[in-house]
Amino acid sequence: MIEIMQPPVEPFKIKVVEPVIIPSEERRKEAIREAGFNTFLLLSEDVFIDLLTDSGTSAMSDNQWAGMMMGDEAYAGSKNFYHLEQAIEDVLGFKYVVPTHQGRGAEHLMFQHLVKPGQIVPRNMYFTTSKLHVEIPGGKMVDTIIDEAHDPDNLHPFKGNMDLNKLQEYVDDYGPEKIACVSVEMNVNMAGGQPVSMENLRNLREFCNKYNLKIIYDATRSSENAYFIREREKGYENTPIIDILKEMMSYADGCIHSSKKDCLVNIGGFLATHDKEIFEGARNMVVVYEGLHTYGGMAGRDMEAVARGLREGAQYEYLNYRINQVRYLGELLKEANVPIVKPIGGHAVFLDALKFLPHLEREQWPAQTLAGAIYEDSAVRSMERGAVSKGRDKETGENVFPALELVRLTIPRRVYTNTHIEYTAGSIISLYEKRDTIPGLKMVYEPKYLRFFQSRFEQIEL
Ligand SMILES: *Cc1c(COP(=O)(O)O)cnc(C)c1O
């Protein structure tokens, strides 16, 4: 692994700026209480540096904005759809495309088409919306990521890999007909932005061919995954990112894609596949839930921005800057001994809340607590990715406490400077030095679905 202490030089210059201000200490204290210690409920105005998510928060390029002016807002057959279709074929190699308003729209179509009641979907760790869209048609998502992924200190270079032994057990226990499809997420978000290796994808394809199982990728962060393959996997050191992407996708039957991440846009998504039958199924449904099959909930201009962004987001120079800016934040924290998930992932740095706040019980929601404390200190907004996000067991109704109880500092693409990164690191380091003064939380409001978005908390006296 390369040790990076120098901030990466940005491969762009700034043409438009958006002012941001740091709210006063008094206002920060008030704001986090008004939000019930849930950073999702903070007003964006009260935030100085917003690391809540990398979803839909990218800065678009002059090329993408120029494309927005070329929107063909025809109800049917917009030329921007054909540009999008072409970009997906050129970058990812998929022939069939169904546009959707964002990633979960594609998940809805894909899993409603593939999943029957009682079936399972093995996957390399869950993602919130994906898990829910498997459960709605009566399925269950089961975890088949390698054990190393659950250990925040393990330095495995491809912690997103599927464990084929675990998959074999599911095949043996349930029988292949009970497996709706095998789902593989690229650069696994909930594991800390950890990549899947090409070798693993190749072996998985071979495995699934034996049992006639379909493989569906969550290709949302596949460009960042491709960068890691080039960086870490033997034989790919000089391979163009697009060739790596095409090979990755050649091992899948289809994918869902939230364009709000690697495609450098604010909204959009799609489903893409090599499989005519999946395509026909999804295309029949898209008109019910999203819009006509040549816009699927996006304006023509949005599709143009996705088409251009998909190409830009797969350029090596951009990805090299992107991954190394995330790494710069991680290295600054690591150097100050702040506990983070290692290796540093693609889109975010994850703080290990169990090690950061060891004096708190799991029921005191350490990650939720830490996210609130960071905001109060510096007006930097982060996100809980632990037991609150995980939710309750569907059958027992009990809270599930995953091995990883994390706070995610997600870096929007091309938005913040390296000075913003240094400010953020400085705040977290100072908080770490006074960590035992931070009180835990109790949950006082819990919604039924995706509770992390709207649940509310109160501080417990220390
Ligand atoms: C964001 C995301 C989704 C959902 O996409 P939306 O565009 O937010 O609906 C699905 N899977 C992964 C891995 C994601 O990061």
Side-chain angles (χ1 to χ4, degrees), residues 220-399:
T220 297
R221 291 186 183 77
S222 38
S223 301
E224 291 173 1
N225 197 107
Y227 178 88
F228 283 121
I229 288 177
R230 177 165 153 146
E231 182 183 73
R232 299 177 185 172
E233 195 159 347
K234 211 164 164 275
Y236 292 94
E237 301 83 352
N238 299 308
T239 311
I241 296 289
I242 284 186
D243 293 355
I244 296 177
L245 279 168
K246 283 220 190 85
E247 185 183 343
M248 288 160 64
M249 300 303 149
S250 74
Y251 303 127
D253 293 285
C255 76
I256 70 93
H257 202 293
S258 166
S259 308
K260 300 172 71 174
K261 287 83 172 202
D262 281 6
C263 291
L264 301 163
V265 293
N266 306 118
I267 194 74
F270 56 85
L271 177 158
T273 176
H274 306 297
D275 183 324
K276 191 128 197 252
E277 194 260 333
I278 292 176
F279 173 59
E280 295 292 348
R283 199 168 56 158
N284 277 326
M285 268 191 294
V286 75
V287 294
V288 181
Y289 296 107
E290 302 280 321
L292 200 70
H293 61 282
T294 54
Y295 75 86
M298 278 187 282
R301 57 179 173 268
D302 294 333
M303 291 190 283
E304 189 61 37
V306 175
R308 293 181 184 210
L310 177 62
R311 293 181 195 276
E312 284 178 23
Q315 285 168 5
Y316 177 79
E317 293 68 25
Y318 154 73
L319 282 168
N320 189 45
Y321 143 78
R322 158 71 177 161
I323 301 288
N324 282 305
Q325 187 180 48
V326 175
R327 206 173 269 164
Y328 181 51
L329 174 60
E331 291 293 343
L332 292 173
L333 295 172
K334 219 166 81 183
E335 208 185 46
N337 296 317
V338 175
I340 62 168
V341 174
K342 289 168 247 152
I344 297 159
H347 65 305
V349 174
F350 290 73
L351 304 173
D352 183 343
L354 296 180
K355 287 213 186 85
F356 202 115
L357 300 174
H359 60 286
L360 300 188
E361 305 291 330
R362 293 298 299 258
E363 293 78 11
Q364 296 177 345
W365 317 105
Q368 191 79 30
T369 299
L370 183 54
I374 293 169
Y375 172 78
E376 204 169 322
D377 186 65
S378 56
V380 170
R381 171 153 70 172
S382 59
M383 184 197 291
E384 189 266 7
R385 287 277 95 145
V388 179
S389 295
K390 178 82 182 182
R392 293 175 181 274
D393 185 287
K394 205 169 155 251
E395 271 132 42
T396 68
E398 295 294 316
N399 279 314

Side-chain angles (χ1 to χ4, degrees), residues 146 148 153-161 194-195 232 342-343:
I146 56 172
E148 286 87 340
D153 293 319
N154 191 296
L155 292 174
H156 193 295
F158 291 102
K159 277 169 104 171
N161 279 356
Q194 304 293 336
R232 299 177 185 172
K342 289 168 247 152

Side-chain angles (χ1 to χ4, degrees), residues 55 102-104 107 123 127 129-130 185 189 218 220-221 256 258 260-261 268:
S55 182
Q102 59 184 85
R104 71 198 71 183
E107 290 175 330
R123 170 155 164 149
F127 181 73
T129 57
S130 324
E185 183 181 330
N189 192 348
D218 183 328
T220 297
R221 291 186 183 77
I256 70 93
S258 166
K260 300 172 71 174
K261 287 83 172 202

Side-chain angles (χ1 to χ4, degrees), residues 13-270:
K13 57 185 178 177
I14 295 165
K15 195 174 318 216
V16 177
V17 297
E18 176 185 341
V20 282
I21 50 160
I22 310 182
S24 68
E25 190 180 341
E26 204 185 335
R27 177 58 200 152
R28 298 197 301 269
K29 211 171 155 163
E30 195 177 70
I32 194 67
R33 281 160 183 79
E34 283 170 10
F37 290 90
N38 185 343
T39 53
F40 278 103
L41 300 178
L42 285 166
L43 305 180
S44 159
E45 280 191 318
D46 284 323
V47 174
F48 175 49
I49 296 178
D50 203 346
L51 308 185
L52 185 72
T53 174
D54 62 331
S55 182
T57 54
S58 298
M60 294 207 296
S61 65
D62 51 358
N63 175 49
Q64 285 175 293
W65 280 109
M68 295 282 282
M69 291 303 290
M70 311 286 281
D72 172 4
E73 307 306 341
Y75 188 84
S78 161
K79 67 182 177 202
N80 309 115
F81 169 71
Y82 298 101
H83 295 167
L84 175 60
E85 203 181 42
Q86 191 63 52
I88 291 169
E89 183 165 1
D90 292 348
V91 177
L92 303 174
F94 289 110
K95 186 163 165 212
Y96 303 115
V97 175
V98 178
T100 58
H101 74 286
Q102 59 184 85
R104 71 198 71 183
E107 290 175 330
H108 177 206
L109 303 181
M110 183 67 91
F111 292 125
Q112 191 173 322
H113 177 67
L114 290 177
V115 180
K116 313 239 161 350
Q119 286 190 317
I120 60 166
V121 175
R123 170 155 164 149
N124 50 349
M125 209 169 261
Y126 78 106
F127 181 73
T128 52
T129 57
S130 324
K131 177 169 171 274
L132 192 58
H133 279 299
V134 165
E135 287 168 2
I136 287 169
K140 186 179 170 174
M141 192 171 267
V142 296
D143 187 19
T144 45
I145 203 166
I146 56 172
D147 286 338
E148 286 87 340
H150 297 287
D151 172 3
D153 293 319
N154 191 296
L155 292 174
H156 193 295
F158 291 102
K159 277 169 104 171
N161 279 356
M162 292 282 277
D163 185 332
L164 298 189
N165 293 325
K166 288 184 191 167
L167 187 56
Q168 183 72 59
E169 281 173 31
Y170 281 114
V171 172
D172 295 343
D173 290 354
Y174 286 79
E177 65 291 344
K178 279 265 165 156
I179 299 181
C181 64
V182 174
S183 170
V184 192
E185 183 181 330
M186 296 301 129
N187 231 41
V188 187
N189 192 348
M190 303 296 277
Q194 304 293 336
V196 183
S197 74
M198 192 73 88
E199 188 190 12
N200 190 245
L201 293 176
R202 207 179 290 127
N203 292 342
L204 179 69
R205 180 74 266 174
E206 227 169 83
F207 179 98
C208 289
N209 284 348
K210 259 198 317 209
Y211 297 102
N212 208 10
L213 298 174
K214 286 196 194 309
I215 301 177
I216 303 300
Y217 290 171
D218 183 328
T220 297
R221 291 186 183 77
S222 38
S223 301
E224 291 173 1
N225 197 107
Y227 178 88
F228 283 121
I229 288 177
R230 177 165 153 146
E231 182 183 73
R232 299 177 185 172
E233 195 159 347
K234 211 164 164 275
Y236 292 94
E237 301 83 352
N238 299 308
T239 311
I241 296 289
I242 284 186
D243 293 355
I244 296 177
L245 279 168
K246 283 220 190 85
E247 185 183 343
M248 288 160 64
M249 300 303 149
S250 74
Y251 303 127
D253 293 285
C255 76
I256 70 93
H257 202 293
S258 166
S259 308
K260 300 172 71 174
K261 287 83 172 202
D262 281 6
C263 291
L264 301 163
V265 293
N266 306 118
I267 194 74
F270 56 85

